[in-house]
Amino acid sequence: MQKCDVLIIGGGPSGSVAACQLLQKGYSVTVLEKLHFPRFVIGESLLPRCNEILEKNGLLELIQRQNYMYKGGAIFINENREEEVVDFSQNLGQKWGSSFQVKREEFDDVLLQEAKRRGAKVYEGVTVTDYDNEKNIVTATDEQGGTERYEARFVLDASGYGRVLPKLMDLDIPSDLKLRNAIFTRIRGERRREGEKEGYIDIVIHDDNNAWLWIIPFSDGTTSIGIVCEESYFENSGLSEEAFLDSVFQKHPYLSEKLADAEKIVPVGRIQGYSAAVKKMYGKGFALSGNATEFLDPVFSSGVTLALQSSDRVAELIDRELRGETVDWQRDYEEYMMVGIDVFREFVYAWYDGRLGKIFYAPKKQEQVKRSISSILSGYVWDRENFFVNNSKEKINTLIKLIGDSA
Ligand SMILES: Cc1cc2nc3c(=O)[nH]c(=O)nc-3n(C[C@H](O)[C@H](O)[C@H](O)COP(=O)(O)OP(=O)(O)OC[C@H]3O[C@@H](n4cnc5c(N)ncnc54)[C@H](O)[C@@H]3O)c2cc1C
């Protein structure tokens, strides 16, 4: 049996950032990762809030050195080819007004290597299969079929879509969001914008918002592209995943032009039913972070931001607990995280039910409204000064009414 202070399940950004912070604080940390890095994972567009958390944990310079694509904002394009440009620098005074587009196999590897450099014991190709909550012992198997047990003072589940502890401890609950799927690939040769907007993410509406697509440009000239829609919308097409993607590329007026010279460079992939939620984000001797807690929807690229925010917060609380303090996990972790998650959740709802489109494409918007939205879409979803943060639903609906009255 191996022993450590903190055992982390999963070496994605959530696991690595928590590991980096805990190592700085002097704890012994072991990370168990099922795959071998670098490994592919979807989710390549970051938000400015990530920079703040990376900076706080001494990781931002490392990321800035990687020559990732500069991301200054997002452009939402409707079927009339009207563009709503969200410029991240036009926020509510927050320090970071830009972010990066990253290939996750590279970004995640940089962070995991840094955790190793700071002293983490990282075992790759090791899958966690069991957890004894009474004794805080995790059991894992390696690729040769060998089994090892790890006793920790605290266990952090950062296993993302693996959802290890939610499954083992019956913490999973269905998401209140509809079952959607994403079909995606990487391409080369699409027509890019010039200048500062080259690195913006495009969010392209298709077929009366029955589907939307992301276009994420990388600094090496390749691009990630994918479509998100309800399962039935894809199934009813009767097409294969690749043919479905091709047919949307050809039919859509904006895409057919933008992708006229583009070619796919990797096989088309698909991920289904990714939205998930949990009954609890913590318990005696353990906590969940990142996608192992709640995952909403990819439309605002919030996943890595929430993963980093939760791991930063959870690492602080683990430190306090291991130093003997009484930690109010409900208030200081779960309720704190839910503030930001619920703001994004309401924006996701407003995106799919069309309320956000009404705001985006309204003929006139006050400067303060534009800045408040930019700040939310930058990931500053805990900023109580922002109009949209407290009671987001009511605020969005009030704005829609004002737009309607003035139209
Ligand atoms: C279609 C789609 C598009 C997205 N686009 C974006 C985007 O543009 N921007 C964004 O920020 N987010 C995006 N996301 C979300 C993003 O993918 C996740 O939020 C992010 O990867 C979460 O990081 P994590 O560290 O929590 O988990 P992960 O990155 O999934 O890492 C978890 C790790 O745990 C390991 N693991 C799993 N099971 C076990 C086990 N039993 N034992 C040991 N290790 C295990 C896995 O191998 C993995 O390496 C998107 C999601 C989807 C579905």
Side-chain angles (χ1 to χ4, degrees), residues 229-281:
C229 58
E230 280 181 38
E231 195 111 341
S232 56
Y233 184 75
F234 164 65
E235 298 295 347
N236 290 342
S237 75
L239 297 170
S240 70
E241 284 136 10
E242 182 159 15
F244 177 68
L245 209 50
D246 287 340
S247 79
V248 175
F249 292 171
Q250 282 151 17
K251 268 189 237 153
H252 196 286
Y254 175 75
L255 294 171
S256 58
E257 228 176 272
K258 190 168 174 77
L259 306 179
D261 312 317
E263 51 164 350
K264 292 190 206 75
I265 52 172
V266 298
V268 171
R270 179 179 177 193
I271 174 166
Q272 296 161 269
Y274 36 73
S275 301
V278 281
K279 289 178 200 158
K280 273 255 154 276
M281 291 186 187

Side-chain angles (χ1 to χ4, degrees), residues 188-345:
R188 189 195 310 278
E190 99 281 9
R191 295 178 190 164
R192 288 193 175 180
R193 292 189 179 78
E194 286 180 4
E196 225 220 9
K197 291 201 173 58
E198 181 188 355
Y200 278 45
I201 182 174
D202 276 359
I203 308 285
V204 183
I205 294 172
H206 174 64
D207 193 12
D208 204 16
N209 214 10
N210 272 310
W212 62 269
L213 295 99
W214 74 76
I215 305 177
I216 299 174
F218 299 123
S219 54
D220 66 356
T222 64
T223 296
S224 165
I225 186 162
I227 185 165
V228 174
C229 58
E230 280 181 38
E231 195 111 341
S232 56
Y233 184 75
F234 164 65
E235 298 295 347
N236 290 342
S237 75
L239 297 170
S240 70
E241 284 136 10
E242 182 159 15
F244 177 68
L245 209 50
D246 287 340
S247 79
V248 175
F249 292 171
Q250 282 151 17
K251 268 189 237 153
H252 196 286
Y254 175 75
L255 294 171
S256 58
E257 228 176 272
K258 190 168 174 77
L259 306 179
D261 312 317
E263 51 164 350
K264 292 190 206 75
I265 52 172
V266 298
V268 171
R270 179 179 177 193
I271 174 166
Q272 296 161 269
Y274 36 73
S275 301
V278 281
K279 289 178 200 158
K280 273 255 154 276
M281 291 186 187
Y282 64 91
K284 188 178 97 14
F286 78 93
L288 318 173
S289 67
N291 260 30
T293 59
E294 172 145 5
F295 179 68
L296 296 167
D297 188 272
V299 65
F300 301 120
S301 308
S302 58
V304 174
T305 304
L306 293 172
L308 297 191
Q309 179 60 65
S310 58
S311 53
D312 177 64
R313 190 42 75 136
V314 90
E316 283 176 5
L317 298 177
I318 293 171
D319 171 42
R320 282 176 45 202
E321 182 149 314
L322 295 186
R323 281 193 283 113
E325 277 183 40
T326 305
V327 173
D328 187 339
W329 283 89
Q330 180 63 22
R331 186 194 64 196
D332 293 343
Y333 187 49
E334 185 152 334
E335 287 172 17
Y336 175 81
M337 284 310 300
M338 289 316 286
V339 170
I341 291 173
D342 284 342
V343 175
F344 271 126
R345 185 195 318 279

